[in-house]
Amino acid sequence: MNKSREELIKAIRGRRTSGKEEYAKPFFKWAGWKGQLLYEFDPRFPEDFGSGSIHRYIEPFVGGGAIFFYISQLYPLRQSVICDINAELILTWQVVKKDVQSLINILQDLQKAYDMRDLAEQQNLFYQVREEMNRERSRFDFSSYGEHTIKRAAQLLFLNKTCFNGLFRLNSKGEFNVPFGKYKKPDIVNEKNLLMASGLLTNTIILHGDFTTCLDYVDDRSFVYIDPPYRPLNKTSSFTAYSEDGFSEQDQVRLCDFFRKAHETGAKVMLSNSDPRNEDPDDNFFDDLYKDFLIERVRAKRFINSVGEKRGDINELIIRNYKN
């Protein structure tokens, strides 16, 4: 791996870099983010990625965007297409693209308001912002774009940087319900990174909807990376609440159909998911579902468990319709 790739991975993973190059990295803290797997993904990306024969990158579950930031800063692409069913998340991506300076201005005000308070007052501010955002949700117009959109994106980023463990979790009503994180000096703004991220989004189409929304953009010169909410490893680990609808086992089956349809266009497709064999060696759910494709198991760390001793190395699946 050359130095630029190494430095880019370090930047996206939030590590210090030795070079002078500056890289954009995810502006959201995101549970289940894929920065930790970039070392595994990099040699498995299509070999012809850098040749220009692939002109479009498509990510149907963009989340925090770690893979988008890596690919868009490393490979020559004519266009990217990112999508997510989470309306709050997509709203924020759109604001970073269209009105990043206005977003920064509001975040700077929130940063000042937070920094001047003691811990108890910081907690009060957090819950005030959370309560206002949740109260407005029932009458918020996600289909229109304006000052209300920018304000909501700022509120969401503020909560994301100050909530417990940087989680994004919605209840069945679509309300943000993560508690206060007790951070003394969170970096709520990170102006330089937001500006760089906005620049990367110039040639990016941002879609709100189910993963099937992306299918119209898939062709034989596309690379599609699929990172769905993972199938729970057991009954107590079902962290799929990135949207109020969750992501069921039936959705995993629908996703396999999407994978096949993308494959049939001639696109190169890669998917990652949890490996059910971590808990049950006889659970062949994904092995059966994707039996016609290349399935590999790689080691990764599990971070999203509230019980510390249950966070550790596990297998994850990487499934592709191509070989390098």
Side-chain angles (χ1 to χ4, degrees):
M1 182 176 293
N2 62 38
K3 185 176 180 181
S4 62
R5 290 171 184 259
E6 178 75 20
E7 295 286 290
L8 178 53
I9 290 176
K10 285 182 178 179
I12 290 173
R13 287 166 58 90
R15 308 289 174 81
R16 289 186 178 181
T17 60
S18 59
K20 295 181 180 180
E21 292 183 89
E22 297 279 355
Y23 298 105
K25 57 190 177 187
F27 45 83
F28 268 109
K29 288 184 176 181
W30 199 253
W33 73 298
K34 289 299 166 295
Q36 57 159 324
L37 281 170
L38 276 168
Y39 287 108
E40 297 290 349
F41 287 170
D42 183 78
R44 292 175 172 87
F45 288 143
E47 279 186 341
D48 54 354
F49 219 157
S51 69
S53 59
I54 294 176
H55 70 141
R56 181 181 294 129
Y57 172 66
I58 300 170
E59 191 169 347
F61 301 87
V62 68
I67 307 305
F68 164 79
F69 280 102
Y70 182 74
I71 286 176
S72 62
Q73 292 177 95
L74 192 61
Y75 296 110
L77 293 169
R78 190 180 306 170
Q79 184 183 72
S80 294
V81 179
I82 59 176
C83 179
D84 208 283
I85 199 169
N86 186 320
E88 306 280 9
L89 178 71
I90 287 300
L91 170 152
T92 308
W93 278 96
Q94 290 170 336
V95 170
V96 171
K97 177 180 178 177
K98 297 177 181 179
D99 284 292
V100 68
Q101 191 57 58
S102 297
L103 175 65
I104 288 169
N105 292 342
I106 299 174
L107 287 173
Q108 287 174 336
D109 289 340
L110 286 167
Q111 181 88 63
K112 291 175 184 176
Y114 188 93
D115 290 346
M116 67 186 294
R117 287 166 162 79
D118 61 25
L119 184 61
E121 292 172 330
Q122 289 172 344
Q123 179 170 309
N124 287 338
L125 176 62
F126 173 87
Y127 285 113
Q128 285 171 12
V129 173
R130 195 184 80 167
E131 195 277 332
E132 180 184 351
M133 197 180 83
N134 286 337
R135 186 178 64 247
E136 291 292 326
R137 193 179 199 279
S138 62
R139 54 179 177 265
F140 189 85
D141 185 2
F142 285 94
S143 64
S144 68
Y145 186 94
E147 293 297 324
H148 66 296
T149 316
I150 303 169
K151 178 183 177 183
R152 192 169 186 86
Q155 290 175 326
L156 183 59
L157 281 172
F158 169 78
L159 293 176
N160 179 251
K161 296 297 177 66
T162 55
C163 73
F164 176 74
N165 227 18
L167 292 176
F168 186 101
R169 186 181 63 206
L170 304 177
N171 62 22
S172 60
K173 297 178 182 179
E175 297 172 335
F176 187 90
N177 66 351
V178 185
F180 179 58
K182 299 181 181 180
Y183 300 111
K184 291 182 179 180
K185 294 182 178 180
D187 188 0
I188 295 168
V189 185
N190 200 338
E191 177 178 357
K192 188 173 184 178
N193 186 60
L194 283 171
L195 290 170
M196 288 191 294
S198 182
L200 284 181
L201 290 168
T202 301
N203 295 318
T204 301
I205 295 172
I206 303 172
L207 303 173
H208 170 233
D210 181 81
F211 55 86
T212 57
T213 307
C214 292
L215 197 56
D216 289 341
Y217 295 89
V218 182
D219 61 22
D220 61 359
R221 297 187 64 192
S222 300
F223 172 58
V224 185
Y225 169 61
I226 305 170
D227 177 33
Y230 277 14
R231 179 173 180 254
L233 292 175
N234 53 55
K235 292 180 180 179
T236 63
S237 66
S238 54
F239 188 82
T240 58
Y242 299 110
S243 74
E244 59 266 38
D245 299 321
F247 202 79
S248 68
E249 196 159 281
Q250 290 72 32
D251 290 320
Q252 297 286 359
V253 175
R254 283 199 309 119
L255 182 59
C256 182
D257 183 59
F258 171 84
F259 188 107
R260 290 182 183 278
K261 288 179 179 176
H263 165 70
E264 289 167 2
T265 69
K268 294 190 174 178
V269 190
M270 186 170 88
L271 176 145
S272 55
N273 214 312
S274 58
D275 181 6
R277 290 184 183 176
N278 286 302
E279 298 288 335
D280 179 359
D282 297 320
D283 189 338
N284 295 314
F285 179 78
F286 289 116
D287 292 82
D288 292 339
L289 204 57
Y290 291 94
K291 62 183 179 181
D292 297 325
F293 303 102
L294 175 64
I295 302 174
E296 298 176 279
R297 287 172 164 83
V298 300
R299 300 299 284 171
K301 289 188 179 297
R302 174 168 45 186
F303 292 108
I304 317 176
N305 202 302
S306 59
V307 182
E309 59 266 25
K310 291 188 177 181
R311 303 177 192 172
D313 288 349
I314 58 171
N315 281 338
E316 294 206 9
L317 299 175
I318 298 178
I319 301 171
R320 293 181 287 162
N321 71 337
Y322 62 92
K323 294 181 179 179
N324 282 343

